Amino acid sequence: MDVSKMTVSINKAINTQEVAVKEKHARTCILGTHHEKGAQTFWSVVNRLPLSSNAVLCWKFCHVFHKLLRDGHPNVLKDSLRYRNELSDMSRMWGHLSEGYGQLCSIYLKLLRTKMEYHTKNPRFPGNLQMSDRQLDEAGESDVNNFFQLTVEMFDYLECELNLFQTVFNSLDMSRSVSVTTAGQCRLAPLIQVILDCSHLYDYTVKLLFKLHSCLPADTLQGHRDRFMEQFTKLKDLFYRSSNLQYFKRLIQIPQLPENPPNFLRASALSEHISPVVVIPAESSSPDSEPVLEKDDLMDMDASQQNLFDNKFDDIFGSSFSSDPFNFNSQNGVNKDEKDHLIERLYREISGLKAQLENMKTESQRVVLQLKGRISELEAELAEQQHLRQQAADDCEFLRAELDELRRQREDTEKAQRSLSEIERKAQANEQRYSKLKEKYSELVQNHADLLRKNAEVTKQVSMARQAQVDLEREKKELEDSLERISDQGQRKTQEQLEVLESLKQELATSQRELQVLQGSLETSAQSEANWAAQITELEKERDSLVSGAAHREEELSALQKELQDTQLKLASTEESMCQLVKDQRKMLLVGSRKAAEQVIQDALNQLEEPPLISCAGSADHLLSAVMSISSCIEQLDKSWSQYLACPEDISGLLHSITLLAHLSSDAIAHGATTSLRAPPEPADSLTEACKQYGRETLTYLASLEEEGTLENADSTAMRNCLSKIKAIGEELLPRGLDIKQEELGDLVDKEMAATSAAIATATARIEEMLSKSRAGDTGVKLEVNERILGSCTGLMQAIQVLIMASKDLQREIVESGRGTASPKEFYAKNSRWTEGLISASKAVGWGATVMVDAADLVVQGRGKFEELMVCSHEIAASTAQLVAASKVKADKDSPNLAQLQQASRGVNQATASVVASTISGKSQIEETDNMDFSSMTLTQIKRQEMDSQVRVLELENELQKERQKLGELRKKHYELAGVAEGWEEGTEASPPTLQEAVTEKE
């Protein structure tokens, strides 16, 4: 189709005349969208129309656009999405008018916006909303949550349709026949599309509600039922009112809804639901078409009427006369007057026949119209029967699926019953086995109790035997004492007791018998005493040896105590000297770092005085990137200086910040010098003077960093002011309107950002895997240290992920706000330097994450160094700082995405500090567990260890010096390789480093 023809049809369809849109023009527009597979021509023409100034023009645009969304090419929706906001603005504008077409246009535009959003969110629904029940089920993806949400969206969609329907009726004066006037038809014509949409939406809503009631409780869907009842009442009334209008009777057959709404609480009511079918007769589809007869039909009808006239003429005058009806000479018996009368009578009959012919034409037209109406009714009934047949087939298929599901459930139930029987049998066997084990356990408990009782009895018997032996020894001693006493008394009183000698002899005999028994037990006790005596002898010998050994040990202990006191004195003096040495070394490091930084900056200032020595080419964007890096570094330096004043032992951060500030300042001064060579004279002189002033202020600031100083002495305000001047001059020197055709840069930025996100996600997964392995294989202090380090690494990765997302949002905002009418690729190509900085930063972040995970893996395995992990975390922080700086270069300072990016950057810094802190803590904890035990070492051994430590210190110092030289060479090579990778100009002796190389200048 010719574009000019389609343009003419669009202009004819959408005009300021208050008449209905002609169907032939709308059909041409629809065919045009299918021909060009989109709506580009339609929107190009519409954008030139004054839709915001003429309400009738806007109303007819809405009508045509509604027809295109329904019947046009599917790409019409895609091509129209970019104009959603314009339609919304136009709707709000027309909503301020309360009369005429203002409110109608506002509500119609809202409906179109809702229709676009619905079909965008639910692409399975075509524009005309015609779907089968199977397609409707597929749209919900068999998920009750999706059906629930889909029903809500259909309610919103139908609410907008009904709102337009009601508003149009309210704007018409129903007391007059408005449907036959052109103004009334202009307002009623779009309702045909609304009726078509409403019939489908009502049908789908009923089916979805029945499906939801079969899956969810009725109380949950009370709100859905209430909303459906309200819309059902409105739609039924509007369909009834529309069917009574003369305008719609010849254009569309409007269905009537049932008297009562469906009962969703009864599942069988779904079979009683009849989908409303709207029928549009093919010959009456156009509001401007009239029922006319074809030319051939009229010719046939004229021929038949002519034949009828001829037959009647022959009946009256005869066939011979009909062959020559006006040959009156052959009729001899008729005079001239009779001929005149005959002619007049014939004329009258001809007039009557003509009137009869006209009546027959009118009757035939009425019959044709009736037949065509009947055909339309039969076609509608046929469509309804086909719909009922399709619905019955779908119900049959649904029931067949339910039957299959029931059969499958029955099979599953039988399998479950068989499994239950097997489980019960195993349970019975386990119960029997448990009973046997319980009996065995009871027997073991009883045996154990018997053994305990027997043990108690044996213990008691042993105690009684020991007590009897003690009593026996006591009686023996008493008897011996009594015997001695009796002997003495017998000697003194021998004479006095002669009279009782006989009695004594008897008693003596008795005593002798008892004595024999006692002597037997005495002999047994004597043997035991002999054994005890031997043991006592051995114990005395052992005691003597122990006493002599104890005396020897006391002598050695006295010597060791004296040696320990000497060692403690020496150790105290050594610790004091070491503390003083460490403090001196710390001070020397600070002074050395400050002097080295001052030397670097002074060298850069000296180069400013000798411009011919600067052979590299510079640019303003590199200068601005360096200024941004210095600003961040100054903030970090202030924090590090405050921390150092609070805790002098922690000097690493301050040294790193000083070194980084020196190198960044040197690079910034070099970039300022090279940029001034290519700038006009006046801004070049201003830039050179600003760089010199910044260098002098930096030297003054570094000189104020004394250990005995305070925080107030180190004021960086002057430095910041100088940086602001340099930044202002650099922004004025930025190139305008570069035309760099590097279309691959846009795709490369997206690829690098995606690769960085993938690298971060992979690193996070590896950390989680390492943490799981550590928990499975490590215990104690090592497990605690690994969990703390890996946890902080995970936090760092999450913070970096948040930073990358924020950077993407800010970059997207920068591209959208800065590209104008150009594409994103053209914007990236136009700002190639900025784009290359983004690519470099993304690569650095992804590489840093991979290296840090490798370092963490080695540390967890015990084969890595804690310092390497700390360096990797600092490297990631530096890379993310480059990404932040590159993203901030072209951002608006009041942008919320920029604030979110800065917040994410602070989160990365905190996560980096957490990684460093956990690494230092873990290292000290591991070293505490590995500390040497000096308690058992002699003076000679301690002296030997001291000498070994001194040798090790010298070796480490030598290695440190070599590593510093190696680091310098690596940095130099890094600058050279970075220059090649970033595409600096060939033939230059010293290409300007990017922000990544500047940030890498740290310990």
Side-chain angles (χ1 to χ4, degrees), residues 687-700:
L687 181 60
T688 303
E689 184 61 30
C691 291
K692 291 180 181 180
Q693 182 64 26
Y694 170 72
R696 291 192 293 268
E697 294 296 341
T698 304
L699 292 176
T700 304

Side-chain angles (χ1 to χ4, degrees), residues 616-876:
C616 58
S619 61
D621 53 353
H622 281 89
L623 178 60
L624 293 176
S625 298
V627 170
M628 296 290 291
S629 302
I630 293 174
S631 300
S632 301
C633 181
I634 291 175
E635 295 179 359
Q636 185 63 33
L637 180 58
D638 292 339
K639 294 180 181 178
S640 300
W641 177 243
S642 302
Q643 294 175 358
Y644 171 71
L645 293 179
C647 181
E649 290 77 10
D650 185 10
I651 197 174
S652 58
L654 180 60
L655 296 178
H656 161 64
S657 300
I658 292 175
T659 305
L660 180 61
L661 177 64
H663 288 280
L664 291 177
S665 300
S666 176
D667 293 339
I669 293 173
H671 286 318
T674 55
T675 304
S676 64
L677 294 177
R678 304 171 61 180
E682 184 176 352
D685 295 340
S686 301
L687 181 60
T688 303
E689 184 61 30
C691 291
K692 291 180 181 180
Q693 182 64 26
Y694 170 72
R696 291 192 293 268
E697 294 296 341
T698 304
L699 292 176
T700 304
Y701 178 78
L702 292 175
S704 64
L705 298 180
E706 296 291 344
E707 186 176 3
E708 295 79 7
T710 59
L711 184 63
E712 289 77 9
N713 297 120
D715 188 6
S716 59
T717 304
M719 296 170 58
R720 297 177 189 273
N721 295 334
C722 294
L723 287 176
S724 300
K725 294 180 181 179
I726 296 175
K727 181 179 179 181
I729 298 174
E731 290 176 350
E732 294 178 357
L733 296 177
L734 282 174
R736 309 296 180 184
L738 294 179
D739 188 13
I740 302 175
K741 296 182 179 180
Q742 300 177 358
E743 298 178 354
E744 68 278 5
L745 286 179
D747 295 335
L748 189 58
V749 170
D750 296 335
K751 291 180 180 178
E752 289 299 331
M753 295 299 290
T756 303
S757 299
I760 297 300
T762 303
T764 304
R766 285 189 59 191
I767 291 173
E768 293 293 336
E769 181 181 0
M770 288 187 288
L771 183 58
S772 300
K773 290 181 179 179
S774 177
R775 288 173 176 170
D778 298 331
T779 57
V781 176
K782 187 174 181 181
L783 176 59
E784 180 182 356
V785 171
N786 291 343
E787 287 182 343
R788 190 185 305 122
I789 292 176
L790 293 178
S792 60
C793 291
T794 303
L796 178 58
M797 292 302 165
Q798 294 174 352
I800 294 175
Q801 189 68 31
V802 173
L803 178 70
I804 292 175
M805 296 301 295
S807 178
K808 287 181 179 180
D809 295 338
L810 182 59
Q811 292 170 21
R812 190 179 300 109
E813 177 183 346
I814 293 172
V815 173
E816 291 295 331
S817 62
R819 66 186 179 92
T821 59
S823 63
K825 291 184 178 181
E826 294 174 350
F827 178 83
Y828 283 120
K830 183 178 180 180
N831 302 271
S832 59
R833 292 280 188 176
W834 178 67
T835 305
E836 290 169 0
L838 291 177
I839 295 173
S840 175
S842 300
K843 290 181 178 178
V845 171
W847 174 81
T850 303
V851 173
M852 193 190 79
V853 173
D854 294 336
D857 192 5
L858 294 176
V859 169
V860 170
Q861 295 177 7
R863 297 186 288 108
K865 297 181 179 180
F866 290 89
E867 291 79 7
E868 186 176 359
L869 183 59
M870 294 166 62
V871 171
C872 291
S873 62
H874 283 298
E875 190 69 23
I876 290 180

Side-chain angles (χ1 to χ4, degrees), residues 465-616:
R466 290 178 180 175
Q467 185 65 29
Q469 184 178 0
V470 173
D471 295 341
L472 182 59
E473 291 178 353
R474 187 172 62 253
E475 290 177 358
K476 177 184 175 184
K477 290 182 180 180
E478 291 177 356
L479 289 174
E480 289 179 353
D481 294 340
S482 300
L483 183 58
E484 291 179 358
R485 193 166 53 253
I486 291 170
S487 299
D488 293 340
Q489 290 178 359
Q491 291 176 2
R492 289 193 303 267
K493 299 179 180 181
T494 300
Q495 297 301 325
E496 297 176 356
Q497 296 178 350
L498 287 175
E499 64 275 8
V500 291
L501 181 59
E502 293 298 328
S503 60
L504 289 176
K505 285 182 179 180
Q506 294 177 359
E507 293 178 2
L508 181 59
T510 304
S511 299
Q512 285 178 351
R513 287 194 299 271
E514 294 177 358
L515 183 59
Q516 288 177 359
V517 177
L518 293 174
Q519 283 180 352
S521 60
L522 182 61
E523 288 177 358
T524 303
S525 300
Q527 292 179 359
S528 299
E529 289 177 358
N531 293 332
W532 283 110
Q535 291 180 4
I536 290 171
T537 304
E538 292 178 358
L539 290 173
E540 289 178 350
K541 291 180 179 179
E542 187 176 355
R543 184 192 63 185
D544 295 337
S545 62
L546 289 175
V547 169
S548 60
H552 182 65
R553 294 293 181 184
E554 287 180 357
E555 294 177 358
E556 290 183 354
L557 181 60
S558 300
L560 289 174
Q561 288 179 349
K562 184 177 180 181
E563 186 176 353
L564 178 61
Q565 292 177 355
D566 297 338
T567 303
Q568 289 178 347
L569 294 175
K570 292 181 179 179
L571 182 61
S573 61
T574 303
E575 289 179 352
E576 293 178 358
S577 61
M578 288 296 292
C579 292
Q580 185 63 32
L581 180 61
V582 169
K583 182 182 291 187
D584 295 340
Q585 289 180 350
R586 196 160 52 235
K587 185 175 181 180
M588 292 173 61
L589 285 174
L590 179 60
V591 174
S593 299
R594 192 175 68 251
K595 289 183 177 179
E598 292 175 352
Q599 184 63 37
V600 170
I601 295 174
Q602 189 61 46
D603 292 341
L605 292 175
N606 293 336
Q607 290 182 359
L608 281 177
E609 302 296 335
E610 299 176 0
L613 297 179
I614 304 175
S615 58
C616 58

